[in-house]
Amino acid sequence: MKHKSKKLVSIFALCSLLFALYSCNGQQVQTLKSPDGNIEVTFGIKDSKPYYSVLKNGAEIIKPSALGFLLNENDNFCCDFIILGTENDSKDETWQQVWGEEIDVRNHYNELTIKLQEKGGKKRILNIVFRAFDDGVGFRYVFPEQENLKEFEIADELTEFNLAQDFDIWSQQSRDKDYETLFHKRKISEISDTVNTPVTIELADGGYALIHEAALIDYAAMNLYNPNAAGAGLQPVPESNGQGTDYKSAPAGATLKADLTPWSTGIKVYAKTPFSTPWRFVVLADNLNALANSRVMLNLNEPCKIEDTSWIKPTKYVGIWWGIHLGYQTWGPPSAKHGATTENMKKYIDFAAENGFDGVLAEGWNAGWDSGYVVHGERYKFAETYPDFEIEKISKYGAAKGVKVIGHNETGGATINYENQLDSAFKFANKYGIASIKTGYVHPLLDYKERHSSQYGIRHYRKVVETAAKYRVMIDCHEPAMPTGWQRTYPNLMAQEGVRGQEYDAWSDDGGNPPEHTTILPFTRNLAGPIDFTPGTFNFNNPAHNARVHTTIAKQLALYVVIYSPLVMASDMIENYKNRPEFEFIKIVPVDWQKTIILDGKIGDFVITARKDKNSENWYIGAITDENARDIKIDFSFLDKDKKYVAKIFKDGAKADYKTNPYPVEISEQEVDYQTVLDLHLATSGGAAIQLRIKN
Ligand code: NOJ
């Protein structure tokens, strides 16, 4: 008996010493907690298959979910692992953004690296690194350099997000369409298509989860599909592993599985060890303010690689643009309707100088637009102007008035042609004082072959941003791959499109963006990065199309606060801003902030956002509503208690209505302090924009 218990003790000791990582019932389980202890990630191996799960405050949000890969053809790299070892690390640092919704960003996490090895066969190694933050979790796969894994192909990434309940989810279906689609809310189980990330999930306790990826470099973008939904299943679902940690134990349909954008070959990623995937992350936020202020994505990107960032400047601009979209002007070639002419540019530069704008965008200034719109991208020349666009004269004229030309490089998706001219395009920009360039990739495929969000596309976009940094040029990328936080590393990447922007209100066959669209974007697409949405349309007459802006003017003003971007356009033709007192708000609203607070909101219904100017003590507020008129209260308790403010309020005027009477804006001033609660009425698809300046 004595002998037996000794034996038991020694078995136990063996279990705990040798198998500290490998519990005696055959499961290997590791846990990692966030610094505040509220979020817990569990990593485990069950039946040789790795999985992870996520808890918040003890409640399971993500149930055991698959990890791993299918390499090459039918080479499982998912299902035969043991844990070789683990490493722990942690960090608590605060870094400053060059520009942003706030200045200081705290990067505070605990890290756990799991080193896996295949039990049999080639005994290949795969590491998985988890980071737990107080507001979310990130993980990435690392393929170390090794004898038995050198060059390889990823046929499928098996990562799953097996949600604990069939929550409501905001998503868009857009893998092949540059993300220019609307977001819809449905149950996870109703997702029968492939959706891109970010997706925003409304949790049962009033909190939110955001699933997206960070640092998407030399890899394919992650889309998601529901492997349980009828008709879905682009890739095989890992088998149920039974006994407690069942991948399919969530209610039917609550699982989302990674679906990487493929190359035209069908392969998702071509890789060579050492190799790391982007980070997959899940933000877990108690409310909309915490969701909007999560910096998990930025923290998972590498620190800034640009030493001197003094040339990177948040920019407000006007441009030769909306008139082209409405059909009054053309991109090219030179004709009576050509928009980007020396004469027009001078007019726009005068206007910009008079009204405090930093730049003027010129579209259709360069050789290659001869087919009218973008058909043959390979014809574009990025250092050759049309004769009626005299860049030397224009840039000198602008320089004398402190206004820069904003360049436009529409590539038509012909990335090879663009890459061949990249140096000359940026040298041209340097020569003429062009500080930022809007790039464009309107063709549905890059080089007639590959998708924008494929590894092919990602490599190209990265090359452009890195080369631009070398030439000190800021980038505004239209038709991008979904942003994933590159701006931390390369803050010259100012804004991206990747959204159904306001241009749809110029020509979309469906009439334009619905009123709720901009109440959804701050909590979905905008969480992936700044959006060049191009608000600021003041004239709703559209001679050519049956589309128009579906807002009031006051809502147009509020969008400058609600939608975040450090590069912001006043989109309308400048003549439409004449004699419009409400234009003042667009002139005074900053484009760089020290702090952001979501004061109230409901995704799809309304949003009230407050932001503090980076360069003063003034605050700005934007409030917008969907198609329903709404009475809102703005509680100013966030203001400095020792200060008094003058609130300049631009709100919907009497009888404003987005369909019948979008124009009235009432402008008033009143004194407020931290005790004030302001009642405001927002018209249908209306809004209010407020400046709070310190009362001296
Ligand atoms: C689509 C872009 O979103 C738009 O802003 C631009 O004017 C056209 N492409 C032409 O490049």
Side-chain angles (χ1 to χ4, degrees):
M1 181 71 191
K2 210 177 164 194
H3 178 74
K4 204 174 175 190
S5 74
K6 205 172 165 192
K7 197 172 165 192
L8 268 180
V9 168
S10 59
I11 287 175
F12 179 75
L14 198 69
C15 273
S16 39
L17 283 173
L18 293 177
F19 296 90
L21 313 168
Y22 198 123
S23 74
C24 288
N25 65 3
Q27 284 206 40
Q28 296 172 286
V29 175
Q30 290 283 318
T31 56
L32 173 73
K33 285 196 173 180
S34 58
D36 67 4
N38 292 337
I39 293 181
E40 186 177 322
V41 193
T42 298
F43 172 86
I45 294 206
K46 183 80 187 355
D47 299 337
S48 307
K49 293 177 189 162
Y51 68 88
Y52 76 101
S53 57
V54 180
L55 276 78
K56 184 174 176 189
N57 298 326
E60 204 163 30
I61 308 285
I62 298 186
K63 293 174 88 73
S65 299
L67 294 163
F69 296 89
L70 187 66
L71 301 185
N72 308 312
E73 269 168 44
N74 288 327
D75 177 2
N76 282 323
F77 199 42
C78 60
C79 311
D80 185 33
F81 285 118
I82 50 159
I83 298 181
L84 265 194
T86 62
E87 258 172 38
N88 281 89
D89 202 356
S90 62
K91 187 169 245 177
D92 188 2
E93 61 172 7
T94 297
W95 55 278
Q96 273 80 42
Q97 301 204 72
V98 174
W99 45 258
E101 302 101 311
E102 64 180 355
I103 300 172
D104 291 326
V105 175
R106 188 170 179 197
N107 184 19
H108 190 196
Y109 62 80
N110 291 329
E111 182 178 285
L112 170 67
T113 301
I114 311 275
K115 299 183 173 184
L116 300 173
Q117 184 170 37
E118 285 176 312
K119 276 191 296 196
K122 296 183 182 157
K123 296 203 183 308
R124 293 170 300 186
I125 290 170
L126 176 68
N127 297 340
I128 308 180
V129 186
F130 290 91
R131 284 188 188 165
F133 300 82
D134 288 345
D135 59 348
V137 167
F139 61 91
R140 82 182 327 174
Y141 302 92
V142 178
F143 298 75
E145 201 166 358
Q146 52 196 292
E147 203 41 48
N148 289 335
L149 190 61
K150 292 190 182 302
E151 287 195 10
F152 63 101
E153 293 166 3
I154 295 177
D156 194 18
E157 181 183 321
L158 304 176
T159 306
E160 286 188 350
F161 303 87
N162 188 1
L163 277 308
Q165 292 178 39
D166 192 10
F167 299 114
D168 289 333
I169 183 167
W170 290 92
S171 66
Q172 62 177 162
Q173 181 198 4
S174 74
R175 189 171 72 168
D176 301 328
K177 295 181 88 186
D178 311 334
Y179 316 106
E180 294 183 7
T181 57
L182 297 171
F183 280 83
H184 295 289
K185 177 160 127 173
R186 48 192 164 165
K187 293 278 176 209
I188 296 170
S189 59
E190 287 163 4
I191 293 189
S192 54
D193 44 0
T194 297
V195 300
N196 58 265
T197 63
V199 292
T200 302
I201 295 168
E202 296 186 355
L203 300 173
D205 64 355
Y208 297 87
L210 176 92
I211 302 177
H212 188 35
E213 61 182 322
L216 168 55
I217 302 164
D218 199 13
Y219 201 78
M222 178 175 74
N223 311 282
L224 298 169
Y225 75 100
N226 182 339
N228 297 324
L234 299 179
Q235 296 296 335
V237 185
E239 282 167 26
S240 164
N241 61 0
Q243 296 170 38
T245 50
D246 184 350
Y247 299 141
K248 290 181 180 162
S249 60
T255 299
L256 296 169
K257 182 196 163 296
D259 181 20
L260 305 180
T261 304
W263 287 70
S264 52
T265 57
I267 291 297
K268 307 289 172 56
V269 173
Y270 294 93
K272 189 175 169 222
T273 57
F275 185 78
S276 303
T277 69
W279 291 91
R280 282 71 190 82
F281 71 85
V282 183
V283 168
L284 293 171
D286 290 339
N287 51 49
L288 287 179
N289 183 46
L291 180 71
N293 277 298
S294 171
R295 304 286 168 242
V296 167
M297 180 184 73
L298 289 181
N299 281 329
L300 290 171
N301 275 271
E302 291 296 311
C304 184
K305 285 197 176 161
I306 302 174
E307 227 163 81
D308 171 16
T309 56
S310 58
W311 52 276
I312 299 172
K313 296 215 163 65
T315 300
K316 221 185 314 179
Y317 70 103
V318 287
I320 295 175
W321 183 73
W322 190 241
I324 307 178
H325 281 261
L326 287 185
Y328 291 116
Q329 295 171 322
T330 59
W331 278 283
S335 70
K337 281 173 87 182
H338 187 215
T341 64
T342 308
E343 200 190 329
N344 285 341
M345 283 300 285
K346 283 185 170 172
K347 271 192 225 154
Y348 270 71
I349 287 169
D350 289 344
F351 180 88
E354 276 157 29
N355 294 287
F357 288 82
D358 314 288
V360 174
L361 168 73
E363 288 206 3
W365 61 274
N366 61 316
W369 288 90
D370 303 31
S371 45
Y373 195 52
V374 193
V375 181
H376 291 288
E378 63 280 3
R379 292 184 189 162
Y380 287 112
K381 300 204 172 104
F382 301 102
E384 192 179 314
T385 62
Y386 280 130
D388 57 350
F389 184 85
E390 297 154 286
I391 183 62
E392 186 132 12
K393 271 193 198 163
I394 295 166
S395 65
K396 274 194 187 143
Y397 190 81
K401 299 197 167 207
V403 175
K404 292 192 185 294
V405 175
I406 296 183
H408 182 228
N409 288 178
E410 175 54 67
T411 69
T415 68
I416 297 168
N417 179 48
Y418 192 38
E419 287 189 18
N420 287 339
Q421 298 181 55
L422 217 44
D423 286 298
S424 56
F426 292 140
K427 277 184 190 152
F428 180 88
N430 287 168
K431 182 169 175 195
Y432 295 110
I434 296 170
S436 40
I437 291 182
K438 170 176 171 180
T439 55
Y441 299 85
V442 287
H443 199 279
L445 292 173
L446 301 180
D447 301 311
Y448 302 107
K449 204 168 175 199
E450 306 294 347
R451 292 180 170 114
H452 292 61
S453 60
S454 66
Q455 186 182 24
Y456 182 85
I458 300 302
R459 284 178 177 165
H460 170 75
Y461 293 119
R462 187 73 176 189
K463 183 168 185 175
V464 172
V465 172
E466 288 180 0
T467 312
K470 215 170 75 190
Y471 285 97
R472 298 184 155 221
V473 170
M474 294 178 271
I475 294 291
D476 169 19
C477 179
H478 278 232
E479 297 85 28
M482 183 57 72
T484 60
W486 288 3
Q487 71 267 27
R488 180 178 179 196
T489 317
Y490 286 104
N492 62 314
L493 175 58
M494 305 301 285
Q496 310 208 53
E497 192 182 37
V499 76
R500 210 180 122 119
Q502 190 143 297
E503 65 185 19
Y504 277 74
D505 298 333
W507 39 251
S508 182
D509 286 343
D510 61 10
N513 294 327
E516 68 167 13
H517 186 46
T518 44
T519 69
I520 300 167
L521 294 180
F523 308 110
T524 51
R525 162 63 184 86
N526 219 174
L527 300 182
I531 309 178
D532 189 22
F533 187 75
T534 64
T537 302
F538 273 26
N539 186 332
F540 297 171
N541 292 324
N542 188 337
H545 301 277
N546 192 24
R548 58 157 263 210
V549 173
H550 293 103
T551 72
T552 64
I553 296 277
K555 183 169 174 179
Q556 286 293 306
L557 303 180
L559 290 178
Y560 285 84
V561 183
V562 170
I563 293 184
Y564 171 65
S565 179
L567 187 100
V568 180
M569 185 177 205
S571 58
D572 213 336
M573 294 179 290
I574 50 176
E575 49 271 36
N576 291 330
Y577 293 133
K578 281 210 179 104
N579 304 321
R580 302 292 284 271
E582 66 271 26
F583 182 58
E584 188 193 343
F585 188 79
I586 301 180
K587 284 165 51 173
I588 60 176
V589 69
V591 285
D592 203 7
W593 311 99
Q594 47 177 305
K595 203 174 172 176
T596 290
I597 308 174
I598 305 296
L599 296 176
D600 202 356
K602 187 165 187 307
I603 306 178
D605 291 352
F606 76 105
V607 192
I608 310 173
T609 305
R611 301 193 200 266
K612 189 176 189 182
D613 179 17
K614 172 129 167 212
N615 303 308
S616 76
E617 289 302 298
N618 297 345
W619 284 84
Y620 292 78
I621 293 176
I624 60 169
T625 179
D626 61 2
E627 68 281 4
N628 299 309
R630 201 175 295 271
D631 292 313
I632 59 164
K633 282 188 191 302
I634 301 184
D635 181 338
F636 287 106
S637 54
F638 64 90
L639 289 175
D640 195 325
K641 295 196 172 36
D642 307 326
K643 296 192 169 82
K644 296 255 179 247
Y645 299 78
V646 177
K648 185 151 197 180
I649 304 167
F650 301 74
K651 65 175 186 182
D652 291 317
K655 302 214 170 96
D657 174 279
Y658 83 98
K659 279 191 194 144
T660 58
N661 191 23
Y663 295 107
V665 178
E666 197 182 300
I667 305 173
S668 62
E669 282 198 348
Q670 74 181 69
E671 209 177 294
V672 301
D673 63 23
Y674 75 101
Q675 287 175 311
T676 309
V677 177
L678 183 68
D679 289 304
L680 279 179
H681 178 74
L682 309 182
T684 57
S685 197
I690 304 174
Q691 180 203 40
L692 298 167
R693 59 177 196 272
I694 302 286
K695 186 167 186 257
N696 296 315

